[in-house]
mmCIF file of all heavy atoms in Angstrom:
data_model
loop_
_atom_site.group_PDB
_atom_site.id
_atom_site.type_symbol
_atom_site.label_atom_id
_atom_site.label_comp_id
_atom_site.label_asym_id
_atom_site.label_seq_id
_atom_site.Cartn_x
_atom_site.Cartn_y
_atom_site.Cartn_z
ATOM 1 N N GLU A 61 180.232 -3.752 -46.055
ATOM 2 C CA GLU A 61 180.472 -2.414 -46.574
ATOM 3 C C GLU A 61 179.484 -1.441 -45.944
ATOM 4 O O GLU A 61 178.525 -1.842 -45.283
ATOM 5 C CB GLU A 61 180.319 -2.408 -48.100
ATOM 6 C CG GLU A 61 181.306 -3.307 -48.822
ATOM 7 C CD GLU A 61 181.107 -3.287 -50.321
ATOM 8 O OE1 GLU A 61 180.214 -2.546 -50.793
ATOM 9 O OE2 GLU A 61 181.834 -4.019 -51.033
ATOM 10 N N ALA A 62 179.705 -0.168 -46.160
ATOM 11 C CA ALA A 62 178.822 0.852 -45.574
ATOM 12 C C ALA A 62 177.391 0.706 -46.061
ATOM 13 O O ALA A 62 176.446 1.044 -45.341
ATOM 14 C CB ALA A 62 179.356 2.239 -45.908
ATOM 15 N N ASN A 63 177.204 0.166 -47.274
ATOM 16 C CA ASN A 63 175.849 0.002 -47.809
ATOM 17 C C ASN A 63 175.214 -1.324 -47.426
ATOM 18 O O ASN A 63 174.101 -1.634 -47.862
ATOM 19 C CB ASN A 63 175.874 0.136 -49.339
ATOM 20 C CG ASN A 63 176.740 -0.924 -50.011
ATOM 21 O OD1 ASN A 63 177.189 -1.868 -49.367
ATOM 22 N ND2 ASN A 63 176.978 -0.756 -51.299
ATOM 23 N N GLY A 64 175.901 -2.124 -46.593
ATOM 24 C CA GLY A 64 175.356 -3.390 -46.127
ATOM 25 C C GLY A 64 175.756 -4.597 -46.941
ATOM 26 O O GLY A 64 175.455 -5.728 -46.551
ATOM 27 N N ASP A 65 176.425 -4.396 -48.081
ATOM 28 C CA ASP A 65 176.888 -5.526 -48.889
ATOM 29 C C ASP A 65 178.050 -6.237 -48.191
ATOM 30 O O ASP A 65 178.732 -5.652 -47.340
ATOM 31 C CB ASP A 65 177.352 -5.045 -50.265
ATOM 32 C CG ASP A 65 176.204 -4.570 -51.139
ATOM 33 O OD1 ASP A 65 175.042 -4.900 -50.815
ATOM 34 O OD2 ASP A 65 176.471 -3.856 -52.129
ATOM 35 N N ASN A 66 178.267 -7.496 -48.586
ATOM 36 C CA ASN A 66 179.391 -8.239 -48.028
ATOM 37 C C ASN A 66 180.715 -7.572 -48.384
ATOM 38 O O ASN A 66 180.906 -7.112 -49.514
ATOM 39 C CB ASN A 66 179.400 -9.675 -48.562
ATOM 40 C CG ASN A 66 178.256 -10.498 -48.022
ATOM 41 O OD1 ASN A 66 177.627 -10.151 -47.021
ATOM 42 N ND2 ASN A 66 177.973 -11.610 -48.678
ATOM 43 N N LEU A 67 181.616 -7.540 -47.429
ATOM 44 C CA LEU A 67 182.950 -6.993 -47.648
ATOM 45 C C LEU A 67 183.820 -8.064 -48.291
ATOM 46 O O LEU A 67 184.086 -9.115 -47.693
ATOM 47 C CB LEU A 67 183.576 -6.558 -46.327
ATOM 48 C CG LEU A 67 184.970 -5.921 -46.433
ATOM 49 C CD1 LEU A 67 184.844 -4.490 -46.959
ATOM 50 C CD2 LEU A 67 185.669 -5.938 -45.074
ATOM 51 N N SER A 68 184.266 -7.834 -49.521
ATOM 52 C CA SER A 68 185.192 -8.760 -50.177
ATOM 53 C C SER A 68 186.620 -8.272 -49.948
ATOM 54 O O SER A 68 186.853 -7.109 -49.590
ATOM 55 C CB SER A 68 184.895 -8.861 -51.674
ATOM 56 O OG SER A 68 185.053 -7.603 -52.306
ATOM 57 N N ASP A 69 187.568 -9.178 -50.166
ATOM 58 C CA ASP A 69 188.947 -8.828 -49.824
ATOM 59 C C ASP A 69 189.934 -9.586 -50.704
ATOM 60 O O ASP A 69 189.747 -10.774 -51.014
ATOM 61 C CB ASP A 69 189.216 -9.168 -48.355
ATOM 62 C CG ASP A 69 190.588 -8.716 -47.899
ATOM 63 O OD1 ASP A 69 190.697 -7.563 -47.462
ATOM 64 O OD2 ASP A 69 191.547 -9.512 -47.980
ATOM 65 N N SER A 70 190.987 -8.882 -51.100
ATOM 66 C CA SER A 70 192.117 -9.494 -51.795
ATOM 67 C C SER A 70 193.375 -9.276 -50.962
ATOM 68 O O SER A 70 193.507 -8.244 -50.289
ATOM 69 C CB SER A 70 192.316 -8.870 -53.176
ATOM 70 O OG SER A 70 191.234 -9.156 -54.031
ATOM 71 N N TYR A 71 194.267 -10.241 -51.027
ATOM 72 C CA TYR A 71 195.544 -10.121 -50.327
ATOM 73 C C TYR A 71 196.659 -10.539 -51.275
ATOM 74 O O TYR A 71 196.623 -11.644 -51.839
ATOM 75 C CB TYR A 71 195.561 -10.992 -49.072
ATOM 76 C CG TYR A 71 196.845 -10.888 -48.278
ATOM 77 C CD1 TYR A 71 197.152 -9.735 -47.567
ATOM 78 C CD2 TYR A 71 197.754 -11.945 -48.242
ATOM 79 C CE1 TYR A 71 198.322 -9.627 -46.840
ATOM 80 C CE2 TYR A 71 198.933 -11.849 -47.513
ATOM 81 C CZ TYR A 71 199.213 -10.685 -46.813
ATOM 82 O OH TYR A 71 200.382 -10.583 -46.097
ATOM 83 N N ILE A 72 197.626 -9.651 -51.480
ATOM 84 C CA ILE A 72 198.766 -9.918 -52.349
ATOM 85 C C ILE A 72 200.028 -9.847 -51.509
ATOM 86 O O ILE A 72 200.238 -8.875 -50.776
ATOM 87 C CB ILE A 72 198.837 -8.896 -53.498
ATOM 88 C CG1 ILE A 72 197.537 -8.886 -54.295
ATOM 89 C CG2 ILE A 72 200.016 -9.210 -54.410
ATOM 90 C CD1 ILE A 72 197.464 -7.770 -55.320
ATOM 91 N N ALA A 73 200.866 -10.877 -51.611
ATOM 92 C CA ALA A 73 202.082 -10.908 -50.804
ATOM 93 C C ALA A 73 203.262 -11.380 -51.633
ATOM 94 O O ALA A 73 203.141 -12.261 -52.481
ATOM 95 C CB ALA A 73 201.901 -11.830 -49.593
ATOM 96 N N LEU A 74 204.410 -10.779 -51.357
ATOM 97 C CA LEU A 74 205.681 -11.240 -51.905
ATOM 98 C C LEU A 74 206.487 -11.800 -50.752
ATOM 99 O O LEU A 74 206.730 -11.109 -49.757
ATOM 100 C CB LEU A 74 206.436 -10.098 -52.571
ATOM 101 C CG LEU A 74 207.770 -10.458 -53.223
ATOM 102 C CD1 LEU A 74 207.573 -11.450 -54.362
ATOM 103 C CD2 LEU A 74 208.488 -9.212 -53.722
ATOM 104 N N VAL A 75 206.873 -13.072 -50.871
ATOM 105 C CA VAL A 75 207.527 -13.793 -49.782
ATOM 106 C C VAL A 75 208.877 -14.312 -50.263
ATOM 107 O O VAL A 75 208.994 -14.826 -51.383
ATOM 108 C CB VAL A 75 206.656 -14.976 -49.303
ATOM 109 C CG1 VAL A 75 207.341 -15.738 -48.178
ATOM 110 C CG2 VAL A 75 205.293 -14.473 -48.856
ATOM 111 N N GLY A 76 209.897 -14.167 -49.426
ATOM 112 C CA GLY A 76 211.211 -14.668 -49.792
ATOM 113 C C GLY A 76 211.854 -15.440 -48.664
ATOM 114 O O GLY A 76 211.717 -15.075 -47.486
ATOM 115 N N ALA A 77 212.537 -16.528 -48.989
ATOM 116 C CA ALA A 77 213.303 -17.327 -48.022
ATOM 117 C C ALA A 77 214.707 -17.508 -48.589
ATOM 118 O O ALA A 77 214.900 -18.243 -49.556
ATOM 119 C CB ALA A 77 212.644 -18.669 -47.764
ATOM 120 N N PHE A 78 215.675 -16.803 -48.007
ATOM 121 C CA PHE A 78 217.028 -16.754 -48.556
ATOM 122 C C PHE A 78 218.005 -17.483 -47.637
ATOM 123 O O PHE A 78 218.160 -17.100 -46.463
ATOM 124 C CB PHE A 78 217.467 -15.298 -48.720
ATOM 125 C CG PHE A 78 216.531 -14.488 -49.563
ATOM 126 C CD1 PHE A 78 215.524 -13.731 -48.970
ATOM 127 C CD2 PHE A 78 216.644 -14.490 -50.938
ATOM 128 C CE1 PHE A 78 214.655 -12.978 -49.739
ATOM 129 C CE2 PHE A 78 215.776 -13.742 -51.728
ATOM 130 C CZ PHE A 78 214.779 -12.983 -51.125
ATOM 131 N N PRO A 79 218.666 -18.528 -48.121
ATOM 132 C CA PRO A 79 219.618 -19.269 -47.286
ATOM 133 C C PRO A 79 220.804 -18.400 -46.879
ATOM 134 O O PRO A 79 221.408 -17.720 -47.720
ATOM 135 C CB PRO A 79 220.061 -20.421 -48.194
ATOM 136 C CG PRO A 79 219.018 -20.516 -49.263
ATOM 137 C CD PRO A 79 218.514 -19.122 -49.461
ATOM 138 N N ILE A 80 221.097 -18.418 -45.597
ATOM 139 C CA ILE A 80 222.300 -17.759 -45.083
ATOM 140 C C ILE A 80 223.397 -18.787 -44.886
ATOM 141 O O ILE A 80 224.551 -18.577 -45.266
ATOM 142 C CB ILE A 80 221.993 -17.037 -43.757
ATOM 143 C CG1 ILE A 80 220.931 -15.966 -43.976
ATOM 144 C CG2 ILE A 80 223.265 -16.421 -43.175
ATOM 145 C CD1 ILE A 80 220.486 -15.290 -42.708
ATOM 146 N N THR A 81 223.025 -19.923 -44.291
ATOM 147 C CA THR A 81 223.900 -21.086 -44.166
ATOM 148 C C THR A 81 223.069 -22.308 -44.546
ATOM 149 O O THR A 81 221.917 -22.177 -44.953
ATOM 150 C CB THR A 81 224.444 -21.244 -42.738
ATOM 151 O OG1 THR A 81 223.370 -21.624 -41.857
ATOM 152 C CG2 THR A 81 225.068 -19.946 -42.225
ATOM 153 N N ASP A 82 223.638 -23.493 -44.381
ATOM 154 C CA ASP A 82 222.899 -24.717 -44.684
ATOM 155 C C ASP A 82 221.682 -24.893 -43.789
ATOM 156 O O ASP A 82 220.732 -25.599 -44.155
ATOM 157 C CB ASP A 82 223.810 -25.938 -44.555
ATOM 158 C CG ASP A 82 224.854 -26.003 -45.651
ATOM 159 O OD1 ASP A 82 224.658 -25.330 -46.689
ATOM 160 O OD2 ASP A 82 225.869 -26.706 -45.469
ATOM 161 N N SER A 83 221.675 -24.265 -42.611
ATOM 162 C CA SER A 83 220.581 -24.484 -41.659
ATOM 163 C C SER A 83 219.851 -23.208 -41.242
ATOM 164 O O SER A 83 218.910 -23.266 -40.451
ATOM 165 C CB SER A 83 221.113 -25.182 -40.400
ATOM 166 O OG SER A 83 222.072 -24.367 -39.742
ATOM 167 N N VAL A 84 220.260 -22.056 -41.781
ATOM 168 C CA VAL A 84 219.659 -20.780 -41.385
ATOM 169 C C VAL A 84 219.136 -20.047 -42.616
ATOM 170 O O VAL A 84 219.854 -19.912 -43.616
ATOM 171 C CB VAL A 84 220.658 -19.880 -40.636
ATOM 172 C CG1 VAL A 84 220.016 -18.539 -40.284
ATOM 173 C CG2 VAL A 84 221.156 -20.570 -39.376
ATOM 174 N N ASN A 85 217.877 -19.603 -42.541
ATOM 175 C CA ASN A 85 217.262 -18.833 -43.623
ATOM 176 C C ASN A 85 216.886 -17.437 -43.153
ATOM 177 O O ASN A 85 216.483 -17.247 -41.996
ATOM 178 C CB ASN A 85 215.993 -19.520 -44.131
ATOM 179 C CG ASN A 85 216.278 -20.624 -45.120
ATOM 180 O OD1 ASN A 85 217.426 -20.881 -45.475
ATOM 181 N ND2 ASN A 85 215.232 -21.292 -45.563
ATOM 182 N N LEU A 86 217.018 -16.473 -44.042
ATOM 183 C CA LEU A 86 216.459 -15.143 -43.836
ATOM 184 C C LEU A 86 215.096 -15.120 -44.516
ATOM 185 O O LEU A 86 214.981 -15.394 -45.713
ATOM 186 C CB LEU A 86 217.368 -14.079 -44.453
ATOM 187 C CG LEU A 86 216.813 -12.640 -44.455
ATOM 188 C CD1 LEU A 86 216.690 -12.118 -43.034
ATOM 189 C CD2 LEU A 86 217.682 -11.735 -45.309
ATOM 190 N N ASN A 87 214.036 -14.793 -43.749
ATOM 191 C CA ASN A 87 212.667 -14.825 -44.259
ATOM 192 C C ASN A 87 212.086 -13.414 -44.298
ATOM 193 O O ASN A 87 212.090 -12.712 -43.279
ATOM 194 C CB ASN A 87 211.803 -15.722 -43.373
ATOM 195 C CG ASN A 87 212.373 -17.118 -43.259
ATOM 196 O OD1 ASN A 87 212.527 -17.822 -44.246
ATOM 197 N ND2 ASN A 87 212.714 -17.528 -42.042
ATOM 198 N N VAL A 88 211.612 -13.017 -45.457
ATOM 199 C CA VAL A 88 211.092 -11.665 -45.660
ATOM 200 C C VAL A 88 209.738 -11.750 -46.347
ATOM 201 O O VAL A 88 209.551 -12.556 -47.265
ATOM 202 C CB VAL A 88 212.052 -10.829 -46.529
ATOM 203 C CG1 VAL A 88 211.532 -9.409 -46.684
ATOM 204 C CG2 VAL A 88 213.453 -10.827 -45.941
ATOM 205 N N SER A 89 208.788 -10.931 -45.920
ATOM 206 C CA SER A 89 207.504 -10.865 -46.615
ATOM 207 C C SER A 89 206.913 -9.470 -46.481
ATOM 208 O O SER A 89 207.106 -8.781 -45.479
ATOM 209 C CB SER A 89 206.523 -11.906 -46.063
ATOM 210 O OG SER A 89 206.085 -11.549 -44.771
ATOM 211 N N VAL A 90 206.184 -9.069 -47.518
ATOM 212 C CA VAL A 90 205.400 -7.836 -47.481
ATOM 213 C C VAL A 90 204.079 -8.132 -48.178
ATOM 214 O O VAL A 90 204.047 -8.775 -49.231
ATOM 215 C CB VAL A 90 206.141 -6.662 -48.146
ATOM 216 C CG1 VAL A 90 206.476 -6.967 -49.602
ATOM 217 C CG2 VAL A 90 205.340 -5.382 -48.028
ATOM 218 N N GLY A 91 202.982 -7.709 -47.557
ATOM 219 C CA GLY A 91 201.662 -8.009 -48.093
ATOM 220 C C GLY A 91 200.758 -6.797 -48.092
ATOM 221 O O GLY A 91 200.915 -5.876 -47.279
ATOM 222 N N ASP A 92 199.795 -6.785 -48.997
ATOM 223 C CA ASP A 92 198.836 -5.696 -49.114
ATOM 224 C C ASP A 92 197.426 -6.270 -49.045
ATOM 225 O O ASP A 92 197.035 -7.075 -49.896
ATOM 226 C CB ASP A 92 199.042 -4.955 -50.434
ATOM 227 C CG ASP A 92 198.269 -3.646 -50.504
ATOM 228 O OD1 ASP A 92 197.682 -3.242 -49.481
ATOM 229 O OD2 ASP A 92 198.269 -3.023 -51.578
ATOM 230 N N THR A 93 196.673 -5.897 -48.010
ATOM 231 C CA THR A 93 195.273 -6.269 -47.871
ATOM 232 C C THR A 93 194.418 -5.196 -48.528
ATOM 233 O O THR A 93 194.510 -4.024 -48.159
ATOM 234 C CB THR A 93 194.891 -6.417 -46.391
ATOM 235 O OG1 THR A 93 195.629 -7.501 -45.817
ATOM 236 C CG2 THR A 93 193.405 -6.692 -46.226
ATOM 237 N N ILE A 94 193.609 -5.591 -49.516
ATOM 238 C CA ILE A 94 192.807 -4.638 -50.279
ATOM 239 C C ILE A 94 191.341 -5.059 -50.195
ATOM 240 O O ILE A 94 190.946 -6.093 -50.746
ATOM 241 C CB ILE A 94 193.247 -4.594 -51.748
ATOM 242 C CG1 ILE A 94 194.758 -4.340 -51.845
ATOM 243 C CG2 ILE A 94 192.475 -3.520 -52.510
ATOM 244 C CD1 ILE A 94 195.319 -4.564 -53.231
ATOM 245 N N SER A 95 190.530 -4.277 -49.500
ATOM 246 C CA SER A 95 189.125 -4.607 -49.296
ATOM 247 C C SER A 95 188.226 -3.764 -50.197
ATOM 248 O O SER A 95 188.658 -2.789 -50.809
ATOM 249 C CB SER A 95 188.742 -4.407 -47.827
ATOM 250 O OG SER A 95 189.489 -5.284 -47.002
#
């Protein structure tokens, strides 16, 4: 951090894997990095 302390971090993500066929998936994710 600007004051010299260690930078901590959180990461939150929503992930989805949706079958299109028996062998094909649609994969979607969105994440937020919060320091």
Side-chain angles (χ1 to χ4, degrees):
E61 298 179 2
N63 61 9
D65 290 343
N66 290 342
L67 182 76
S68 61
D69 185 88
S70 294
Y71 181 71
I72 304 172
L74 182 63
V75 179
F78 304 95
I80 299 175
T81 69
D82 290 341
S83 62
V84 178
N85 278 358
L86 173 66
N87 304 300
V88 182
S89 71
V90 59
D92 191 7
T93 296
I94 307 168
S95 297

